[in-house]
Amino acid sequence: MSKLTVVEGSYAVAHAAKVCRPDVIPAYPITPQTHIVEELSKFAANGEIGACEYITVESEFSAISALIGACAAGARTYSATTSQGLALMHEVLFNASGMRLPLVMTVANRAMSAPLSIWNDHQDSIAQRDTGWIQLYAEDPQEAADMTPQVYKICEDNKIMLPAMACFDGFILTHVYEPVVLLEQDLTDEFLPPFAPEHILDPSNPKTFGAFADPGVYSEFRYMQELGMSAALKKIETVADEFNEIYGRYYGGLIDGYYLDDAEIVLVAMGSVIGTIKDVLDELRAEGKKVGLLKIRSFRPFPTDAIRNAVKNAAIIVPLDKSISIGKYEGALCTEIKASLYNTKIDIPVLGYMFGHGGRDIPPERIKKIVSEAEKAIVNGITIESSYVDLREELL
Amino acid sequence: MNKTTELFAPGHRGCAGCCDALAAKFMLKAVGENCIVVTPTGCLEVFSTPFPESAWNVPWIHSLFENAAAVASGVEAALKALGRKNDTKIMAIGGDGATIDIGIRGLSGAFERGHDFTYVCVDNEAYMNTGVQRSGGTPFAATTTTTPAGKASFGNLRPKKNMPQIMLAHGSPYVATTSVAYPKDMMRKVKKATEVTGPTYVHVHAPCTTGWGFDGSKTIELGRLAVETALWPMMDIENGDITGVHKIRNKRPVEEYLKAQKRFKHLFSIPGGADIIKKIQELADWNADQYDL
Ligand SMILES: Cc1ncc(C[n+]2csc(CCOP(=O)(O)OP(=O)(O)O)c2C)c(N)n1
Ligand code: SF4
Ligand SMILES: [Mg+2]
């Protein structure tokens, strides 16, 4: 049995990043990511990350830009950010994926301003869904730590070569103290081969990165990124299995299920709320209610086939979103789940809920309320397709 | 990659007589093949790398318009961490817009952090790639497509931002100003900048045939006039001290420089134009006096 240590979620992730042996870490502080980069700076200051260069950049824009330069020069890179920092990187995120640079970043999910909020939701990374980055979401600190070497292995595959975000909920997971297994260096070395990219900036073999594309060639570059994402669908599954073989822990590949096989009501969620939902489901199952959970681990690539297969026998599907597309009045999971079911023989109602925005707590009663509304909707049909579950009418 | 012996190969899509192409060609000659170049978005980047062609026979990367210095700092950190830095020079070559305006945050950060690289600003005094709009490097009274002269305006209202002084304020061990019109001077300074350890800065004045409105055969002539009128002083600044100044043999009146370009043509016809020319002469005289040109 691996040894459990009680540490903060941020420490577990920083430690995981360290054992992946990054060569360059440019970092810029932002709550609630700060503890991760502070821990890494301590590791670097103590010489615990080899010859790693820790760069205290002047902005997230430069953090991600330095990652690009470093990765193109052949370095394995790491950084972490959230919210405003991630949004500031927006332009560069596209650039990194377009240049097929397998950068790895932890995103400590946080709401977007205004109004200013330092608390958790998924709006920051969801807003970056079209930037060509792989996005995985972790449910607890252990999974967030374990996801770190997993994403390196996924995105450094030469058929993939795309950057990746390992997302975990700010404060709820970054600042919680829990017993975790800190990733062992020897196991990580066995699991994760050194970064050996085919194309690098090297004077002995000069190559051009980031050329200008006319309309005659541009689409093909975009299409090839899509091929990389498709390759990641398979790789995310195999890497999860390989991780299980070496470390003995498994969280699902693209998706995971809890009481999913015979579920009539399928809740769909990502991130830390999974823990609350699992507790509620244990209770509801004891009462004989056929409720299950579909956990989305991979939001990009979006696991369309896996989802279709997982929900096809349900009576109702209930996506639970910590994001909102204003003007569509639904969250990202809701929209994407609906889109996944269209053009299939699956004709199951989808009842979307949004909650937990800007860090609002999601107590078990909220989940139970959603389940009871879903039960009614199975009988009476859906009247409102998507809504906030806990809107405070008195503030409107 | 282009199979010629030139590190910056011919065949690119720059205008005939392009200042940026001259700068890149002579700089690389001076620095040699053991270098990695970062170029932000701009004329030089666009005309030198239409996929699948590239004029660069050295490793080269373009990321975005405003992040060349940060990308260069990442390259430098990677080479150090991987034990490959050795004598490899890292050079960013950016336009005035990329350097003076949109990229100044990242450039300032990279210099403050002390990365071992050279930043070269090729200053053609406007956003040429997007059609000659004003930048912080556009000189006083010049017209651009966003500072046209009109009944209520004589063109650009402000003098050039003094970028070399800003870089000097970062404690850079070597800052130099030069011009594409003096290739030997430019080559010496860029080579020296790459040889000095730490973040070094070279500001290259670069007359642009298309943007300034003069014949493509006169790029060098225009560059020389800028220097000989004292509008563009050329110097070496080592560890904060001016250690070399290009002396002007025959100081020329600014009219000679202004007359040769369409962007200043209005000054010779608008009411009050003579006063503005006088102000420009004062700027030149101040330079001559201040730097003992
Ligand atoms: C964020 C962003 N804003 C604007 C642009 C449009 N743009 C591309 S190149 C350029 C001007 C480049 O000017 P400069 O740096 O002086 O180089 P030059 O083309 O004059 O050599 C502009 C405005 C861009 N690419 N990115
Ligand atoms: S517009 Fe000026 S800088 Fe751009 S290619 Fe032409 S001459 Fe060179
Ligand atoms: Mg310019």
Side-chain angles (χ1 to χ4, degrees), chain A residues 261-285:
Chain A
D261 292 343
D262 64 342
E264 286 171 4
I265 299 172
V266 175
L267 306 180
V268 188
M270 308 194 288
S272 62
V273 74
I274 300 278
T276 313
I277 295 174
K278 283 179 175 172
D279 288 347
V280 171
L281 293 198
D282 289 341
E283 270 184 55
L284 296 180
R285 280 280 170 169

Short mmCIF file of all heavy atoms in Angstrom, two decimals, chain A residues 261-285:
data_model
loop_
_atom_site.label_atom_id
_atom_site.label_comp_id
_atom_site.label_asym_id
_atom_site.label_seq_id
_atom_site.Cartn_x
_atom_site.Cartn_y
_atom_site.Cartn_z
N ASP A 261 -25.12 1.94 -14.65
CA ASP A 261 -25.59 0.92 -15.58
C ASP A 261 -27.11 0.84 -15.70
O ASP A 261 -27.65 0.74 -16.79
CB ASP A 261 -25.02 -0.45 -15.20
CG ASP A 261 -23.51 -0.48 -15.42
OD1 ASP A 261 -23.03 0.41 -16.16
OD2 ASP A 261 -22.83 -1.37 -14.87
N ASP A 262 -27.81 0.87 -14.57
CA ASP A 262 -29.27 0.71 -14.62
C ASP A 262 -30.00 2.02 -14.28
O ASP A 262 -31.18 2.01 -13.94
CB ASP A 262 -29.70 -0.38 -13.64
CG ASP A 262 -29.40 0.02 -12.20
OD1 ASP A 262 -28.57 0.95 -12.01
OD2 ASP A 262 -29.99 -0.57 -11.27
N ALA A 263 -29.29 3.13 -14.35
CA ALA A 263 -29.88 4.40 -13.90
C ALA A 263 -30.96 4.90 -14.84
O ALA A 263 -30.78 4.90 -16.06
CB ALA A 263 -28.80 5.45 -13.73
N GLU A 264 -32.07 5.34 -14.27
CA GLU A 264 -33.11 5.99 -15.07
C GLU A 264 -32.84 7.50 -15.13
O GLU A 264 -33.03 8.12 -16.17
CB GLU A 264 -34.49 5.74 -14.45
CG GLU A 264 -34.95 4.31 -14.69
CD GLU A 264 -36.20 3.96 -13.91
OE1 GLU A 264 -36.77 4.82 -13.23
OE2 GLU A 264 -36.57 2.77 -13.97
N ILE A 265 -32.43 8.03 -13.99
CA ILE A 265 -32.03 9.44 -13.97
C ILE A 265 -30.50 9.48 -13.99
O ILE A 265 -29.85 8.93 -13.09
CB ILE A 265 -32.56 10.14 -12.71
CG1 ILE A 265 -34.09 10.10 -12.68
CG2 ILE A 265 -32.04 11.58 -12.62
CD1 ILE A 265 -34.70 10.61 -11.38
N VAL A 266 -29.93 10.10 -15.02
CA VAL A 266 -28.47 10.19 -15.11
C VAL A 266 -28.04 11.64 -14.90
O VAL A 266 -28.32 12.51 -15.72
CB VAL A 266 -27.94 9.67 -16.47
CG1 VAL A 266 -26.43 9.90 -16.57
CG2 VAL A 266 -28.26 8.21 -16.64
N LEU A 267 -27.41 11.90 -13.77
CA LEU A 267 -26.83 13.22 -13.53
C LEU A 267 -25.48 13.26 -14.24
O LEU A 267 -24.75 12.27 -14.24
CB LEU A 267 -26.63 13.45 -12.03
CG LEU A 267 -27.85 13.27 -11.12
CD1 LEU A 267 -27.47 13.55 -9.66
CD2 LEU A 267 -29.00 14.16 -11.54
N VAL A 268 -25.15 14.40 -14.86
CA VAL A 268 -23.86 14.53 -15.55
C VAL A 268 -23.12 15.71 -14.92
O VAL A 268 -23.69 16.80 -14.81
CB VAL A 268 -24.05 14.80 -17.06
CG1 VAL A 268 -22.71 14.75 -17.78
CG2 VAL A 268 -25.03 13.82 -17.67
N ALA A 269 -21.88 15.48 -14.51
CA ALA A 269 -21.15 16.57 -13.84
C ALA A 269 -19.65 16.40 -14.01
O ALA A 269 -19.17 15.35 -14.46
CB ALA A 269 -21.51 16.61 -12.36
N MET A 270 -18.91 17.47 -13.65
CA MET A 270 -17.44 17.46 -13.67
C MET A 270 -16.94 18.07 -12.37
O MET A 270 -17.59 18.96 -11.80
CB MET A 270 -16.88 18.32 -14.80
CG MET A 270 -17.43 18.05 -16.18
SD MET A 270 -16.43 18.82 -17.49
CE MET A 270 -16.81 20.55 -17.28
N GLY A 271 -15.77 17.64 -11.94
CA GLY A 271 -15.10 18.32 -10.83
C GLY A 271 -15.55 17.87 -9.46
O GLY A 271 -16.10 16.79 -9.26
N SER A 272 -15.32 18.76 -8.49
CA SER A 272 -15.44 18.38 -7.08
C SER A 272 -16.86 18.04 -6.65
O SER A 272 -17.06 17.33 -5.67
CB SER A 272 -14.93 19.52 -6.20
OG SER A 272 -15.71 20.68 -6.40
N VAL A 273 -17.86 18.54 -7.38
CA VAL A 273 -19.24 18.25 -6.99
C VAL A 273 -19.56 16.76 -7.12
O VAL A 273 -20.51 16.25 -6.52
CB VAL A 273 -20.23 19.12 -7.81
CG1 VAL A 273 -20.35 18.62 -9.25
CG2 VAL A 273 -21.60 19.16 -7.14
N ILE A 274 -18.73 16.06 -7.86
CA ILE A 274 -18.88 14.61 -8.01
C ILE A 274 -18.92 13.94 -6.63
O ILE A 274 -19.72 13.04 -6.39
CB ILE A 274 -17.69 14.02 -8.82
CG1 ILE A 274 -17.63 14.64 -10.22
CG2 ILE A 274 -17.72 12.50 -8.86
CD1 ILE A 274 -18.52 14.07 -11.25
N GLY A 275 -18.06 14.39 -5.73
CA GLY A 275 -17.99 13.80 -4.38
C GLY A 275 -19.33 13.94 -3.68
O GLY A 275 -19.86 12.97 -3.10
N THR A 276 -19.91 15.14 -3.71
CA THR A 276 -21.21 15.37 -3.06
C THR A 276 -22.28 14.50 -3.71
O THR A 276 -23.10 13.87 -3.03
CB THR A 276 -21.62 16.86 -3.25
OG1 THR A 276 -20.50 17.68 -2.94
CG2 THR A 276 -22.80 17.22 -2.38
N ILE A 277 -22.24 14.46 -5.04
CA ILE A 277 -23.26 13.68 -5.76
C ILE A 277 -23.18 12.20 -5.37
O ILE A 277 -24.19 11.54 -5.13
CB ILE A 277 -23.11 13.85 -7.29
CG1 ILE A 277 -23.39 15.31 -7.68
CG2 ILE A 277 -24.04 12.92 -8.04
CD1 ILE A 277 -23.13 15.64 -9.14
N LYS A 278 -21.98 11.69 -5.26
CA LYS A 278 -21.82 10.26 -4.92
C LYS A 278 -22.44 9.96 -3.56
O LYS A 278 -23.13 8.95 -3.39
CB LYS A 278 -20.34 9.86 -4.94
CG LYS A 278 -19.80 9.67 -6.36
CD LYS A 278 -18.33 9.30 -6.34
CE LYS A 278 -17.82 8.98 -7.75
NZ LYS A 278 -16.36 8.79 -7.78
N ASP A 279 -22.21 10.87 -2.60
CA ASP A 279 -22.81 10.67 -1.27
C ASP A 279 -24.33 10.66 -1.35
O ASP A 279 -24.99 9.82 -0.75
CB ASP A 279 -22.37 11.79 -0.30
CG ASP A 279 -20.90 11.63 0.10
OD1 ASP A 279 -20.32 10.55 -0.16
OD2 ASP A 279 -20.34 12.59 0.68
N VAL A 280 -24.86 11.60 -2.11
CA VAL A 280 -26.33 11.68 -2.25
C VAL A 280 -26.86 10.42 -2.92
O VAL A 280 -27.89 9.86 -2.51
CB VAL A 280 -26.72 12.95 -3.05
CG1 VAL A 280 -28.21 12.94 -3.38
CG2 VAL A 280 -26.35 14.20 -2.27
N LEU A 281 -26.14 9.96 -3.94
CA LEU A 281 -26.61 8.77 -4.65
C LEU A 281 -26.63 7.54 -3.75
O LEU A 281 -27.54 6.70 -3.85
CB LEU A 281 -25.76 8.51 -5.90
CG LEU A 281 -25.84 9.53 -7.03
CD1 LEU A 281 -25.32 8.94 -8.34
CD2 LEU A 281 -27.26 10.05 -7.25
N ASP A 282 -25.65 7.43 -2.87
CA ASP A 282 -25.65 6.30 -1.93
C ASP A 282 -26.96 6.30 -1.14
O ASP A 282 -27.61 5.25 -0.98
CB ASP A 282 -24.47 6.39 -0.96
CG ASP A 282 -23.13 6.09 -1.66
OD1 ASP A 282 -23.16 5.48 -2.75
OD2 ASP A 282 -22.08 6.48 -1.12
N GLU A 283 -27.37 7.48 -0.68
CA GLU A 283 -28.62 7.59 0.08
C GLU A 283 -29.83 7.25 -0.77
O GLU A 283 -30.71 6.49 -0.36
CB GLU A 283 -28.81 9.05 0.56
CG GLU A 283 -28.23 9.38 1.90
CD GLU A 283 -28.57 10.82 2.27
OE1 GLU A 283 -29.79 11.17 2.27
OE2 GLU A 283 -27.64 11.61 2.52
N LEU A 284 -29.87 7.86 -1.96
CA LEU A 284 -31.05 7.67 -2.82
C LEU A 284 -31.18 6.23 -3.29
O LEU A 284 -32.28 5.70 -3.41
CB LEU A 284 -30.99 8.63 -4.01
CG LEU A 284 -31.05 10.13 -3.68
CD1 LEU A 284 -31.00 10.97 -4.95
CD2 LEU A 284 -32.32 10.47 -2.89
N ARG A 285 -30.06 5.61 -3.55
CA ARG A 285 -30.10 4.20 -3.95
C ARG A 285 -30.63 3.34 -2.82
O ARG A 285 -31.39 2.40 -3.04
CB ARG A 285 -28.70 3.72 -4.37
CG ARG A 285 -28.32 4.14 -5.77
CD ARG A 285 -28.97 3.22 -6.79
NE ARG A 285 -28.83 3.73 -8.16
CZ ARG A 285 -29.11 3.03 -9.25
NH1 ARG A 285 -29.55 1.78 -9.17
NH2 ARG A 285 -28.98 3.56 -10.44
#
